[in-house]
Amino acid sequence: MTMDSQDLFNAAITLSGAFGGWILKTIWDAINDLKTEVKELNREVNQDFVRREDFKDSMQDIKEMLNKIFDKLDNKADK
């Protein structure tokens, strides 16, 4: 049984198709892993960090309290 050029061509196409499929599968799996990691990171960030608006509101409250304290200290120093 001899292999002619058509058989070699078919074998080459089959091998390259299988290799290309393996590469695409590997890339697909890597993308899915990255999506999962991004979702986890997003969840962690939302739990661990304060939103900008909440921080601004808290800082405004602190500034108001400090202003009241400084006003009282100024009044005590004036007496």
Side-chain angles (χ1 to χ4, degrees):
M1 190 169 181
T2 63
M3 291 186 83
D4 60 354
S5 61
Q6 184 64 41
D7 290 336
L8 288 174
F9 179 76
N10 289 344
I13 293 297
T14 302
L15 288 175
S16 63
F19 183 69
W22 176 76
I23 288 176
L24 289 175
K25 173 76 168 102
T26 303
I27 291 170
W28 183 265
D29 289 342
I31 288 172
N32 285 335
D33 289 344
L34 284 174
K35 285 180 182 178
T36 303
E37 289 177 15
V38 166
K39 285 179 185 176
E40 285 180 24
L41 181 62
N42 193 20
R43 201 172 346 193
E44 288 177 14
V45 166
N46 286 335
Q47 290 176 356
D48 294 341
F49 294 99
V50 177
R51 292 189 178 167
R52 179 174 289 172
E53 293 82 19
D54 294 340
F55 180 75
K56 284 182 180 180
D57 292 342
S58 296
M59 288 305 296
Q60 186 62 35
D61 293 342
I62 291 171
K63 287 179 183 178
E64 289 173 6
M65 285 191 300
L66 284 174
N67 284 334
K68 288 179 184 177
I69 291 170
F70 289 140
D71 288 343
K72 286 183 180 181
L73 287 175
D74 286 342
N75 288 338
K76 290 282 185 182
D78 291 342
K79 290 184 179 181

